[in-house]
Amino acid sequence: AGGAYVPLDPAFPEDRLNFMLKDAGVNLILTQKDVFDNFHFAEPAVFLDAEWEKIALENDSNPINIISSENPVYVIYTSGSTGKPKGVEVGQKALVNFLATMQKHPGISEADTLLAVTTLSFDIAALELYLPLITGAKVVIASRETAADGISLAKLTYDAGATIMQATPATWRMLIDVGWEGNPNFKILCGGEALPKDLAAALLKRGHSLWNMYGPTETTIWSSIFKIESAERRISIGRPVQNTQMFILDRHLQPVPIGAPGELYIGGDGLAFGYLNRPELTERYFIANPFYNAARENPNGTLHKGAYTLPAKFFSKKLYKTGDLARFLHNGNIEYLERIDHQVKVRGYRIELGEIETILNEHPVVEQSVVVVREYALGDERLTAYIIIDYAEQLKISDLRRYLRTKLPDYMIPADFMILDAFPHTPNGKVDRKALPVPGEQHLSTEDFVPPQTPAEKFIAKIWQSVLGHENIGIHDNFFDLGGHSLLAIKVIAQIEKQSGRRITPRDILLQNLGQIAATIDK
């Protein structure tokens, strides 16, 4: 019909969803009644379940539309450093170019079955839904509960006869941890964060082919791909997809030599229109292509820039400034190095640490905050918040978590908090993030601490201690309030089942405290 959509995750706080609705100018919500009734939205809604009989009476012929490649197709909201998410406006042309590319490489046909595990609020869900649709392949959509449960997800890959799945390294590691063996016909797509060599080696044994995918939301899902043949070699992000160019430039916007690090810039048909209602931000990150005019002077020739010799007609007017440090390898592939700013990826989620810090600083007891990412174990990275508080007021960490849950999605809630008297600083006066101390035991329950008493309570507490890395765990504590997350919860479920033969669900861990879970195991 030529319209654009904004996906809304019902797991997000209502304040965040309301901001997205108003910022995007949404004038209609498509939903289900039981989902909609949990919120207080002012916008009109069509209930695809309760009103289906009424909808079925409408004319089923396709409407005449005035759709063009320049129509916006969706707005995806990503974390923003100002404390509010920012909407990335993507056009029809960009999405079609992406899908046409993915149809060829990594490739999909009508004989394939794709298992979709991504929530609709993330742009990579577009590959999972539309790629099978345009090729005649089958798509099997995993529920949120199944996608977060390694044992259930592994079973579904077998039951569905899946031949393709796209997921983050964290999800692939979760599957391997529960003993998933894959199958010889399985095509594994991995993206969202860096792919470690040990995980690549494990995945190569479990499928037909393994692909490393890279791309920011602003350049439409995946902008480069790399087929991994061996985990012994350097794992790069490969080369650009069709109608896409990548440049690695210095601070003067000049190409750096092969092998030298520089900032990665992306151009081509995959570029988004920009940030919705944020012209200053759009201008800052979607810059004028410094090579465009030279390319126009010789449109039928080629232009040599960096490691590429490109037909001049492919040069786009704009380039997206990714903030990623990268370098060209001698074989023409690109290696991702690190972020230049404070944007991070945790379990595949893109997070601006400044957004969490802004929300924390709005709490009446918090005077200042700094949020960093710490690696607790291989593949287990967690957010840690350091705060300076007003000691005239009382602050419980569990209360602070509950405050954050009203403002931020669960994946942006820090796993650990540490109260400091002052932050360490570099000689030039900036907070020295590398000098921040390792968090101590500051996990405070809203209830008085009661140590585990029964064998079941002690049994579960021991598992939680090994998974979370904390000692003082009481029967009133909730796993997620102690800094746990969905992937760690799967480890807990697997260990409980292996050692006791009893099966609990991710929902049990989310809603119940240690004592309540122990009581169900004792039954």
Side-chain angles (χ1 to χ4, degrees), residues 53-121:
E53 291 184 2
K54 179 181 176 182
I55 295 169
L57 297 176
E58 297 293 331
N59 192 329
D60 61 3
S61 62
N62 286 330
I64 297 172
N65 64 65
I66 55 171
I67 193 170
S68 79
S69 62
E70 299 307 312
N71 281 103
V73 62
Y74 61 70
V75 177
I76 297 284
Y77 279 82
T78 66
S79 181
S81 58
T82 62
K84 296 290 185 183
K86 54 185 184 291
V88 180
E89 187 179 18
V90 172
Q92 296 272 356
K93 180 180 180 180
L95 181 59
V96 169
N97 177 72
F98 167 76
L99 294 172
T101 302
M102 294 296 107
Q103 186 174 357
K104 298 174 186 175
H105 304 287
I108 187 172
S109 74
E110 66 275 6
D112 281 307
T113 296
L114 188 150
L115 180 56
V117 299
T118 308
T119 172
L120 289 176
S121 59

Side-chain angles (χ1 to χ4, degrees), residues 97-108 124 127 131 164-166 187-193 195 209-216 219-229 234-246 264 266 308 328-329 331-336:
N97 177 72
F98 167 76
L99 294 172
T101 302
M102 294 296 107
Q103 186 174 357
K104 298 174 186 175
H105 304 287
I108 187 172
I124 61 176
L127 178 148
L131 194 56
I164 302 178
M165 192 174 105
Q166 164 192 254
K187 190 172 291 185
I188 298 171
L189 313 184
C190 190
E193 57 187 326
L195 174 59
S209 60
L210 172 61
W211 297 79
N212 193 28
M213 326 287 281
Y214 165 85
T219 58
T220 311
I221 310 174
W222 305 129
S223 300
S224 70
I225 59 174
F226 177 62
K227 185 177 182 182
I228 299 173
E229 304 287 356
R234 193 190 308 269
I235 297 177
S236 78
I237 59 172
R239 302 187 183 207
V241 300
Q242 70 180 20
N243 301 318
T244 299
Q245 304 88 48
M246 289 182 164
L264 181 61
I266 302 176
Y308 280 122
F328 277 113
L329 303 177
N331 60 8
N333 288 327
I334 297 172
E335 182 184 20
Y336 168 88

Side-chain angles (χ1 to χ4, degrees), residues 39-52:
F39 299 95
H40 303 88
F41 296 142
E43 290 76 13
V46 170
F47 303 119
L48 295 176
D49 51 351
E51 298 181 294
W52 189 248

Side-chain angles (χ1 to χ4, degrees), residues 15 30 64 84 140 150 182 197 209 230 304 361 399 432 456 485:
D15 285 354
L30 299 180
I64 297 172
K84 296 290 185 183
V140 175
K197 281 189 175 183
S209 60
S230 169
H304 304 274
N361 293 342
D399 292 339
D432 189 348
H485 54 71

Side-chain angles (χ1 to χ4, degrees), residues 80-352:
S81 58
T82 62
K84 296 290 185 183
K86 54 185 184 291
V88 180
E89 187 179 18
V90 172
Q92 296 272 356
K93 180 180 180 180
L95 181 59
V96 169
N97 177 72
F98 167 76
L99 294 172
T101 302
M102 294 296 107
Q103 186 174 357
K104 298 174 186 175
H105 304 287
I108 187 172
S109 74
E110 66 275 6
D112 281 307
T113 296
L114 188 150
L115 180 56
V117 299
T118 308
T119 172
L120 289 176
S121 59
F122 291 93
D123 61 341
I124 61 176
L127 178 148
E128 298 176 341
L129 297 183
Y130 306 137
L131 194 56
L133 184 65
I134 68 169
T135 58
K138 178 182 177 181
V139 59
V140 175
I141 303 174
S143 67
R144 185 189 298 270
E145 292 75 20
T146 296
D149 183 335
I151 296 170
S152 298
L153 185 58
K155 183 176 184 298
L156 183 57
T157 66
Y158 304 133
D159 294 346
T163 58
I164 302 178
M165 192 174 105
Q166 164 192 254
T168 64
T171 296
W172 289 117
R173 196 178 290 279
M174 176 182 74
L175 281 171
I176 290 171
D177 286 346
V178 299
W180 178 73
E181 297 178 353
N183 74 68
N185 300 315
F186 208 73
K187 190 172 291 185
I188 298 171
L189 313 184
C190 190
E193 57 187 326
L195 174 59
K197 281 189 175 183
D198 72 301
L199 180 57
L203 291 172
L204 281 168
K205 300 174 184 176
R206 289 167 167 80
H208 173 267
S209 60
L210 172 61
W211 297 79
N212 193 28
M213 326 287 281
Y214 165 85
T217 301
E218 288 85 346
T219 58
T220 311
I221 310 174
W222 305 129
S223 300
S224 70
I225 59 174
F226 177 62
K227 185 177 182 182
I228 299 173
E229 304 287 356
S230 169
E232 298 302 317
R233 300 176 184 173
R234 193 190 308 269
I235 297 177
S236 78
I237 59 172
R239 302 187 183 207
V241 300
Q242 70 180 20
N243 301 318
T244 299
Q245 304 88 48
M246 289 182 164
F247 300 97
I248 299 177
L249 309 178
D250 63 19
R251 58 192 180 94
H252 302 295
L253 298 182
Q254 291 302 307
V256 299
I258 293 174
E263 185 170 0
L264 181 61
Y265 290 77
I266 302 176
D269 288 351
L271 256 64
F273 295 141
Y275 299 109
L276 189 67
N277 304 324
R278 305 284 291 278
E280 301 86 0
L281 203 62
T282 299
E283 186 176 355
R284 187 190 314 168
Y285 288 99
F286 291 83
I287 69 166
N289 187 340
F291 316 120
Y292 180 75
N293 290 335
R296 295 282 74 77
E297 290 174 3
N298 186 18
N300 297 318
T302 58
L303 195 67
H304 304 274
K305 286 297 175 185
Y308 280 122
T309 299
L310 292 172
K313 63 181 180 180
F314 286 153
F315 279 68
S316 56
K317 291 183 178 180
K318 298 284 186 180
L319 293 179
Y320 173 66
K321 176 182 170 70
T322 67
D324 289 334
L325 197 68
R327 64 180 176 180
F328 277 113
L329 303 177
H330 286 280
N331 60 8
N333 288 327
I334 297 172
E335 182 184 20
Y336 168 88
L337 299 175
E338 62 182 359
R339 284 296 298 179
I340 294 172
D341 57 17
H342 296 312
Q343 184 189 110
V344 298
K345 287 286 188 76
V346 177
R347 304 191 302 282
Y349 296 106
R350 172 174 158 181
I351 300 169
E352 293 278 2

Side-chain angles (χ1 to χ4, degrees), residues 15 81-84 354-369 387-388 400 403-404 406-408:
D15 285 354
S81 58
T82 62
K84 296 290 185 183
E355 180 172 5
I356 306 173
E357 292 167 355
T358 298
I359 300 298
L360 275 170
N361 293 342
E362 291 174 355
H363 189 281
V365 180
V366 176
E367 294 185 346
Q368 193 177 353
S369 66
I387 57 177
I388 297 172
L400 191 56
Y403 159 77
L404 290 175
T406 67
K407 306 287 185 180
L408 297 170

Side-chain angles (χ1 to χ4, degrees), residues 399-419:
D399 292 339
L400 191 56
R401 289 188 200 280
R402 287 172 175 77
Y403 159 77
L404 290 175
R405 286 200 179 103
T406 67
K407 306 287 185 180
L408 297 170
D410 282 346
Y411 65 84
M412 294 180 70
I413 309 296
D416 282 304
F417 292 82
M418 191 168 189
I419 299 173

